[in-house]
Amino acid sequence: MAEKNNSIGRLIITLTVIGALGALFLAGVYEWTIPHILEHEARARERAIMEVLPEADYYEEVTHNDKIFYEGYDENDNFVGVAVSLRGGGYAGEIEIMIGTDPEAREIINIFILNHQETPGLGARITEEQFRENFENAPFSELEIVRRTPEEPQEIEAIAGATMSVEAVKNIVSRVGDIVSEYYGGGS
Amino acid sequence: MQSQELVVTSSPHLREETSVAEIMWTVNISLVPVMLAASYVFGLRALAIIAVSIISCSLTEYIFLRARNKEVTLTDGSAVVTGILLALTMPPAIPLWVVAIAAVVAIALGKQVFGGLGNNPFNPALIGRAFVTAAYPVLITTWTFDGQTAATPLNLKMMEGEITPYWDLFIGNIPGSLGETSAFLILLGAALLIYKGYLNWRIPAGMLTTVFLLTWLMGHDPVFHLLAGSLLLGAFYYATDMVTTPITPRGRWLFGVGAGVFVVIIRLWGGYPEGVMYSILLMNMTVPIINRFTRPRSLGEVN
Amino acid sequence: MAEYFAIFKNGLWNENPIFKLIIGLCPTLAVTNTVVNGFAMGLATGFVLISSEIVISLIKKFIPNDVRIPSFILIIVTFVTFTDYFLGAFFPDIADALALFIPLIVVNCLILGRQEAFASRNSTRRAIFDAVGMTVGFTWVLVLLSAIRELFGFGTLAGIDILGAGYTDMIIMILPGGAFLTLGVLVGVLNLLDRKVGSDNG
């Protein structure tokens, strides 16, 4: 450790040099890794969209008012539904959900949890097929949580011990109707 | 080796005639009516839970005392008290192995790692219960009544806004943990302890009054909140554990009021329907501070 | 050579960062709920530790004493950011699982602590042995801790089912509370072992 020569100039130069070299190195790392990172994100998104729009063969990204919609089409170019990704607060962090909808029937087709930090074994069960099935054919309206086998389409069966996580997913998904209807006027 | 002729100890030098064992066994006896009621309401399963809990607690205590080369003091009844109190927090349908795990945690992590009886900062039975609450959240919230799944009065109120009749709450004809059934029998046991002078009445008085007043102020049914759940049992038995509560009269009032505030906060705004366990554990943490700030001033002391 | 081996061995037990120094607990408690996560976190932290100890021991003569801590942090940040991007690009599953805790390696006091205590006062060769020793010491404890938590919490080890389908998951073991309890009990048991072994030797 250099004991003498602690002049202000020397301090500034040292930090600047270290910072500049680090930045240079990281710029290279960024250039090298970012294509791979973007590719993983795109692939994850594509898998989610295909999951929530099962009849779609391909999808197109459309922007309405800065909001991204994924329109799904089948092999004959027929419109089969639109997917949006919505986020909201969960029990332990933000939950991001891809939601596939059928604007004409004013129904949710399916949902897919993109990101979450819920408790493993409890809240994390929102990602399970059995829970997601609750949202199939759910209407564009406020959904309800019930503690029994659902009888009505808007009813969502609770997960024991994970009330907050289920509530969060319900609240996020309940918003989708208004957002989609605004640009894909249902029934028209 | 210690000298037999001269024993030098630090204060206090005044000694109580009553022994630990006498107090502990009186507490056990005062809990007999509640245990009988549990086995009447929930069947023999309740007795099995109590037996497993007592045996597991005693066994763990024995093993730890032997491992630490301490005198084995099972006959003082403190492990049995923990066993019974732990069993009374269990839902009747709980698998017996969960009870055993709770008992081992209660004695091992709740009591012995701190140095055994007298040194534990938290109520051991509640530590055991808190552990299995976090470990098996589904099993610990599965309530049964007459062989059917049923919601506890506090659950009913939280989910459906339904108030169970006072009389059912009072005599104990309701689903819940083993010990949170009959308000009447809890009061009976507590009366015995108060008569014998083993129960510091200030803590339950502070806790119950606070819950009554706060729920009333918030526009809820104060009598329901007093009788439902484990409030009475908690106030008289768990919040009065001599080791984990303040020693000064003012401190006991503070402890009781604090616990009452936490119960109301958790019940009315929390994610859980019942908050007695966490409220007492939270207040256990504050005991050293309470003791320090409520210490009576010595004669002639100047600040 | 014996001298270097002694430096290496220090990190494994005598100055084990977690058991003996009780530092670097943030990742220790947060991500050790599965063996894969624990191991990955050990390696990621180890990579940052080794790289920054090498760099700092090389340039220690040029760093003025007054700005040594900011300089160390800048160097550590560089390697942490590299790790973050590298994992995101080539090991996306691990990057997802460790998420926020990769950037948090920056504030792992184990890393800064070793720069201040060792790399800035020793030769590069000695620093390498210290960093590798600390890495192995940190990683083995993380793996042991996560093995216990995963076994009780999920009934599996490294994703392989051990306890069978009838096992009821002990949720607390996957939660931070379980990490505290397991670590506390482990430190107690290992110190007991240490004392036993020590008294036998002496």
Side-chain angles (χ1 to χ4, degrees):
Chain A
M1 196 105 325
E3 292 299 336
K4 299 273 164 61
N5 205 357
N6 272 344
S7 69
I8 289 286
R10 174 115 196 257
L11 304 185
I12 294 172
I13 290 168
T14 311
L15 285 179
T16 314
V17 168
I18 293 176
L21 287 177
L24 200 68
F25 170 68
L26 287 179
V29 170
Y30 182 80
E31 288 300 320
W32 172 45
T33 54
I34 204 70
H36 297 277
I37 294 174
L38 290 177
E39 192 190 317
H40 289 304
E41 278 177 9
R43 208 178 298 155
R45 191 164 55 234
E46 184 174 331
R47 207 180 53 209
I49 294 168
M50 289 306 167
E51 182 88 11
V52 298
L53 298 175
E55 284 173 32
D57 194 49
Y58 65 97
Y59 70 90
E60 272 173 16
E61 216 174 289
V62 186
T63 314
H64 297 295
N65 265 348
D66 288 343
K67 192 136 196 63
I68 299 170
F69 293 83
Y70 306 97
E71 296 178 351
Y73 297 92
D74 66 10
E75 60 264 45
N76 302 321
D77 301 334
N78 293 320
F79 177 76
V80 295
V82 58
V84 281
S85 131
L86 297 180
R87 45 179 81 215
Y91 174 65
E94 194 164 67
I95 302 178
E96 191 180 355
I97 310 173
M98 183 66 80
I99 308 161
T101 62
D102 181 346
E104 290 180 17
R106 297 181 58 76
E107 267 182 11
I108 289 158
I109 299 173
N110 207 338
I111 68 164
F112 187 86
I113 312 288
L114 288 168
N115 279 309
H116 76 90
Q117 266 109 50
E118 303 307 285
T119 317
L122 281 176
R125 288 177 58 203
I126 55 174
T127 58
E128 286 176 8
E129 184 72 38
Q130 203 196 338
F131 175 69
R132 291 193 284 127
E133 271 174 10
N134 275 302
F135 294 91
E136 287 178 21
N137 301 326
F140 277 7
S141 61
E142 190 63 32
L143 304 173
E144 278 170 43
I145 296 173
V146 294
R147 271 150 213 289
R148 51 178 161 74
T149 316
E151 287 152 10
E152 305 289 328
Q154 80 276 13
E155 288 181 348
I156 308 299
E157 190 176 358
I159 298 173
T163 321
M164 310 275 268
S165 308
V166 173
E167 183 87 19
V169 173
K170 184 212 82 171
N171 288 338
I172 296 168
V173 177
S174 292
R175 281 172 17 217
V176 80
D178 289 342
I179 293 167
V180 170
S181 314
E182 194 177 334
Y183 302 102
Y184 298 85
S188 59
Chain B
M1 285 293 108
Q2 275 181 331
S3 156
Q4 293 298 310
E5 291 110 46
L6 181 68
V7 180
V8 182
T9 60
S10 66
S11 63
H13 300 290
L14 290 173
R15 292 203 164 263
E16 177 71 55
E17 286 299 310
T18 342
S19 68
V20 171
E22 206 176 322
I23 298 175
M24 291 297 174
W25 286 110
T26 315
V27 172
N28 287 334
I29 288 165
S30 77
L31 284 165
V32 166
V34 181
M35 288 191 277
L36 287 177
S39 50
Y40 174 74
V41 178
F42 302 113
L44 285 178
R45 199 174 162 78
L47 287 183
I49 292 172
I50 296 170
V52 167
S53 182
I54 294 176
I55 292 167
S56 309
C57 279
S58 306
L59 211 61
T60 314
E61 176 111 332
Y62 177 79
I63 291 167
F64 263 83
L65 289 173
R66 286 301 295 267
R68 293 174 54 222
N69 292 323
K70 299 274 174 189
E71 189 192 346
V72 175
T73 50
L74 278 182
T75 47
D76 72 8
S78 69
V80 178
V81 168
T82 303
I84 295 175
L85 288 179
L86 176 67
L88 291 179
T89 67
M90 292 289 154
I94 195 90
L96 295 177
W97 58 267
V98 176
V99 180
I101 289 177
V104 171
V105 171
I107 296 291
L109 297 184
K111 184 175 172 189
Q112 290 296 339
V113 291
F114 295 106
L117 183 65
N119 298 311
N120 45 305
F122 296 103
N123 187 313
L126 291 180
I127 289 285
R129 163 73 200 221
F131 182 86
V132 291
T133 304
Y136 305 106
V138 178
L139 293 175
I140 207 82
T141 48
T142 306
W143 310 97
T144 51
F145 194 63
D146 285 342
Q148 302 265 315
T149 345
T152 65
L154 282 169
N155 266 316
L156 275 177
K157 182 174 176 302
M158 190 177 185
M159 299 302 165
E160 325 276 344
E162 196 179 312
I163 299 278
T164 312
Y166 297 157
W167 182 246
D168 284 347
L169 293 173
F170 191 67
I171 60 163
N173 195 21
I174 41 165
S177 300
L178 296 190
E180 56 182 46
T181 47
S182 168
F184 172 68
L185 293 173
I186 294 165
L187 291 173
L188 195 73
L192 170 71
L193 291 184
I194 292 176
Y195 169 72
K196 295 281 266 178
Y198 296 162
L199 193 152
N200 39 66
W201 58 273
R202 289 179 182 87
I203 291 173
M207 193 168 171
L208 298 175
T209 318
T210 309
V211 171
F212 187 91
L213 289 178
L214 270 183
T215 48
W216 186 48
L217 274 175
M218 293 295 158
H220 288 261
D221 182 343
V223 182
F224 171 79
H225 274 283
L226 221 50
L227 295 175
S230 46
L231 181 61
L232 286 176
L233 189 71
F236 284 112
Y237 283 95
Y238 301 83
T240 53
D241 173 14
M242 293 179 180
V243 178
T244 58
T245 50
I247 48 172
T248 59
R250 263 197 308 154
R252 286 171 180 171
W253 277 114
L254 263 175
F255 184 94
V257 170
V261 170
F262 279 124
V263 170
V264 175
I265 290 175
I266 296 173
R267 277 191 185 179
L268 298 189
W269 298 288
Y272 291 100
E274 174 62 301
V276 171
M277 167 178 77
Y278 290 120
S279 74
I280 296 173
L281 285 174
L282 284 168
M283 287 312 289
N284 282 163
M285 275 196 299
T286 67
V287 167
I289 298 175
I290 292 183
N291 275 341
R292 192 155 147 200
F293 285 107
T294 57
R295 193 180 50 191
R297 202 186 292 180
S298 319
L299 190 64
E301 185 178 299
V302 182
N303 265 342
Chain C
M1 205 57 221
E3 180 205 347
Y4 293 114
F5 187 67
I7 296 173
F8 169 75
K9 227 176 66 178
N10 232 359
L12 301 190
W13 187 269
N14 286 344
E15 279 183 32
N16 186 293
I18 299 176
F19 283 144
K20 292 303 172 69
L21 308 182
I22 319 277
I23 58 173
L25 293 188
C26 160
T28 309
L29 296 169
V31 299
T32 53
N33 49 17
T34 65
V35 172
V36 175
N37 285 357
F39 187 63
M41 179 46 94
L43 290 191
T45 310
F47 168 76
V48 175
L49 182 63
I50 295 168
S51 322
S52 42
E53 277 210 47
I54 291 174
V55 171
I56 286 164
S57 65
L58 280 172
I59 62 165
K60 59 179 182 284
K61 288 206 177 66
F62 304 104
I63 302 177
N65 202 33
D66 286 2
V67 290
R68 64 183 198 288
I69 301 287
S71 307
F72 296 165
I73 291 286
L74 272 175
I75 291 163
I76 294 167
V77 163
T78 307
F79 287 113
V80 169
T81 313
F82 169 81
T83 312
D84 197 16
Y85 278 103
F86 182 81
L87 287 178
F90 302 105
F91 300 95
D93 292 341
I94 289 176
D96 277 350
L98 301 183
L100 175 70
F101 294 100
I102 295 286
L104 280 180
I105 293 175
V106 175
V107 288
N108 188 327
C109 41
L110 164 63
I111 294 176
L112 185 62
R114 291 325 288 176
Q115 313 311 335
E116 173 74 357
F118 204 93
S120 62
R121 299 150 204 252
N122 285 284
S123 70
T124 307
R125 199 193 284 186
R126 288 167 62 97
I128 293 174
F129 277 90
D130 176 69
V132 173
M134 285 291 157
T135 302
V136 177
F138 188 63
T139 309
W140 82 256
V141 179
L142 247 55
V143 169
L144 175 65
L145 192 64
S146 48
I148 296 172
R149 292 180 63 195
E150 186 181 343
L151 184 66
F152 286 108
F154 292 111
T156 61
L157 270 182
I160 301 153
D161 197 353
I162 303 283
L163 296 178
Y167 178 72
T168 313
D169 293 348
M170 206 186 233
I171 308 285
I172 192 174
M173 295 304 277
I174 318 166
L175 304 176
F180 277 105
L181 288 175
T182 316
L183 184 66
V185 172
L186 264 183
V187 171
V189 169
L190 287 173
N191 278 328
L192 204 67
L193 273 178
D194 213 25
R195 212 182 297 165
K196 280 258 156 64
V197 174
S199 65
D200 286 354
N201 287 347

